């Protein structure tokens, strides 16, 4: 007879508990790994989440990037800054400036972009050197791919 309450409780949990595949996955985070193995200490992270901007409007998606242990952008001829670059390949892309924060043992690069209205599926996120005058974008140094973030 003691098994009956246990069976009822377990049945209730299985039937009523929300199905996790349909649960929201926001916010999401992604580790950005170096593409050049000589940059063994370089790493980055991207945070993807919904933001409500003022004046109130519908929620948009934010991508924030932080990158550390990158060489000065001038190391790559003709570049003077880093940019975050996110793309749904073959469909759309976004790019935004990363700002430097000098620290005792180097520089941290960080930036954000708040205006994304697309669904975050199969998004490639990168850190690239860029030229602020010509707006030329260099090859990716750090990269990660996000398969889905709703």
């Amino acid at each position: 007879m003691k098994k009956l309450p246990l069976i009822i409780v377990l049945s209730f949990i299985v039937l009523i508990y929300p199905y996790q595949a349909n649960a929201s996955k926001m916010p999401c985070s992604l580790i950005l790994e170096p593409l050049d193995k000589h940059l063994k200490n370089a790493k980055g992270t991207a945070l993807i989440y919904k933001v409500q901007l003022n004046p109130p409007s519908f929620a948009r998606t934010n991508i924030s990037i932080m990158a550390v242990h990158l060489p000065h952008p001038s190391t790559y001829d003709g570049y003077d800054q880093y940019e975050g670059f996110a793309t749904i390949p073959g469909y759309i892309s976004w790019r935004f400036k990363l700002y430097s924060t000098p620290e005792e043992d180097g520089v941290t690069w960080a930036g954000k972009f708040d205006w994304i209205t697309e669904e975050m599926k199969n998004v490639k996120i990168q850190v690239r050197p860029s030229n602020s005058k010509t707006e030329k974008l260099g090859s990716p140094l750090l990269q990660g791919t996000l398969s889905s973030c709703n």
Side-chain angles (χ1 to χ4, degrees), residues 80-141:
D80 60 355
Q81 66 182 18
Y82 285 110
E83 287 191 27
F85 183 79
T87 183
I88 300 173
Y91 180 63
I92 192 168
S93 63
W94 306 273
R95 59 189 279 189
F96 52 97
K97 184 177 178 179
L98 300 181
Y99 296 89
S100 63
T101 304
E103 298 180 30
E104 288 180 21
D105 59 348
V107 174
T108 297
W109 295 87
K112 67 180 180 62
F113 186 72
D114 287 327
W115 299 97
I116 299 171
T117 57
E118 294 297 322
E119 190 174 350
M120 296 283 98
K121 285 191 174 180
N122 300 317
V123 179
K124 191 178 291 186
I125 299 175
Q126 303 170 332
V127 172
R128 295 176 166 209
S130 72
N131 184 301
S132 60
K133 292 176 182 60
T134 65
E135 296 186 6
K136 181 181 177 190
L137 200 57
S139 298
L141 299 178

Side-chain angles (χ1 to χ4, degrees), residues 17-28:
Y17 196 77
Y19 183 59
Q20 290 299 312
N22 292 330
S24 176
K25 296 178 184 172
M26 286 265 186
C28 300

